[in-house]
Amino acid sequence: MEVDISKAIVRGYAAKLESCLDCDLVVVGAGPSGLLCAAHVARAGRNVAVFDRKLAPGGGVWGGAMLFNEVVIQQAAVAILEELGVRHTRVDDRFVRADSVELAASLIYRAVHAGAKVFNGVSVEDVIFKGDRIGGVVINYTPILLNNLHVDPLSMRAKVVLDGTGHGAELTARAAQKAGIRLETPTGGLMGEKPMWAEMGEKMTVENTRRVYPGLYVSGMAANGVFGSARMGPIFGGMLLSGQRAAKLILEELGR
Ligand code: 48F
């Protein structure tokens, strides 16, 4: 029995991973923007893989604000909450609030049920770069990286890569630094996140959701990090709207 259990797991995981080695979209970072984008693109019938270095996907949603596990969402994104099936309570004319655990669980459920393959405990440590385009990602198990073990990674091809890595825009920063590329930003480089300004941060995270290099898009806080916009704290409507916009732009590109 022990061996049959192991066989089932090994075969299931191998099949899942192999099905993504040449995919349409790799989402790096299973935060709210990345998960919602993955759900939409997978629901449109595309082959989507999501990687998160942590054990639990969901990014910064779980802890609400300072571990007070509630989140605030502005009216503009309430329709997304309803589509996700997340219950919410009116705060005032501008906002509703919701349980952060319910939001994180719903985002993960929607992405997986739409057909996206979510790989937890896997870090993206590099991109595949061939001259004029980002063509995929380089992955490794997080425990290998945490223990500084000298173990080579695996690579997977993707038509589009989404940097949804949150504060720091880690993937875009690494790609820009290692490949020496000029990003499609006003300065050609990573402009860096600005201090808290909730209204501006929320507005800009949606506007900044776009392509930054052929084959590479940014969403959520990574988008604000790349384009030099403010952080916004525990209001999550912008993240959801950013994920929705990323999906729309990526589906347009994939449809070409
Ligand atoms: O930061 P995060 O939640 O992404 P987001 O969609 O949302 C930001 C909000 O949570 C919050 C906010 C207000 O609304 O400001 O911060 O921008 O999630 C990013 C995920 O990316 C993973 C990381 O573990 C987290 O779960 N991640 C980061 N770098 C890597 C990565 C990497 N190199 N490989 C794999 N996963």
Side-chain angles (χ1 to χ4, degrees):
M1 189 173 169
E2 293 85 353
V3 171
D4 291 335
I5 294 168
S6 301
K7 274 186 190 164
I9 289 171
V10 171
R11 283 180 187 150
Y13 190 83
K16 202 157 55 178
L17 188 60
E18 191 173 3
S19 75
C20 296
L21 289 180
D22 195 350
C23 64
D24 294 314
L25 169 66
V26 163
V27 174
V28 185
S33 65
L35 284 170
L36 195 68
C37 175
H40 281 289
V41 176
R43 201 171 60 195
R46 297 294 181 164
N47 188 358
V48 180
V50 181
F51 294 100
D52 201 289
R53 65 154 55 107
K54 296 200 180 128
L55 198 52
V61 177
W62 296 105
M66 212 182 78
L67 289 181
F68 290 24
N69 65 356
E70 291 276 316
V71 289
V72 168
I73 288 114
Q74 60 275 49
Q75 285 297 340
V78 168
I80 301 177
L81 279 188
E82 283 168 1
E83 198 187 314
L84 288 167
V86 173
R87 293 162 299 172
H88 48 84
T89 306
R90 183 179 183 277
V91 175
D92 58 27
D93 286 348
R94 297 165 299 164
F95 306 128
V96 301
R97 65 180 157 78
D99 183 291
S100 67
V101 175
E102 185 171 342
L103 177 59
S106 302
L107 284 163
I108 297 166
Y109 179 86
R110 289 293 159 159
V112 173
H113 272 247
K117 311 283 185 333
V118 178
F119 297 91
N120 51 340
V122 180
S123 297
V124 173
E125 58 167 55
D126 207 343
V127 292
I128 298 175
F129 178 67
K130 299 203 179 177
D132 59 355
R133 191 174 177 87
I134 304 291
V137 294
V138 178
I139 60 171
N140 216 329
Y141 280 126
T142 300
I144 289 178
L145 299 175
L146 286 177
N147 287 297
N148 235 344
L149 303 181
H150 191 164
V151 179
D152 265 318
L154 289 172
S155 302
M156 46 207 308
R157 197 156 62 173
K159 294 190 181 109
V160 177
V161 175
L162 176 69
D163 180 350
T165 59
H167 298 275
E170 185 179 313
L171 190 76
T172 307
R174 182 142 334 142
Q177 183 241 324
K178 286 187 76 174
I181 54 179
R182 194 177 161 77
L183 298 173
E184 293 165 2
T185 62
T187 62
L190 210 82
M191 297 169 73
E193 184 185 301
K194 298 288 181 293
M196 182 87 84
W197 182 356
E199 298 91 322
M200 193 55 86
E202 281 294 274
K203 176 173 172 295
M204 294 313 295
T205 192
V206 186
E207 286 184 25
N208 292 334
T209 297
R210 59 173 108 149
R211 191 181 93 158
V212 284
Y213 195 76
L216 181 64
Y217 285 71
V218 287
S219 69
M221 272 317 297
N224 278 6
V226 169
F227 286 98
S229 300
R231 64 185 301 197
M232 73 295 287
I235 174 160
F236 280 78
M239 296 300 132
L240 301 176
L241 293 163
S242 165
Q244 196 175 53
R245 177 172 152 91
K248 179 175 172 291
L249 297 176
I250 289 166
L251 282 170
E252 277 167 18
E253 167 149 356
L254 291 174
R256 266 184 229 143

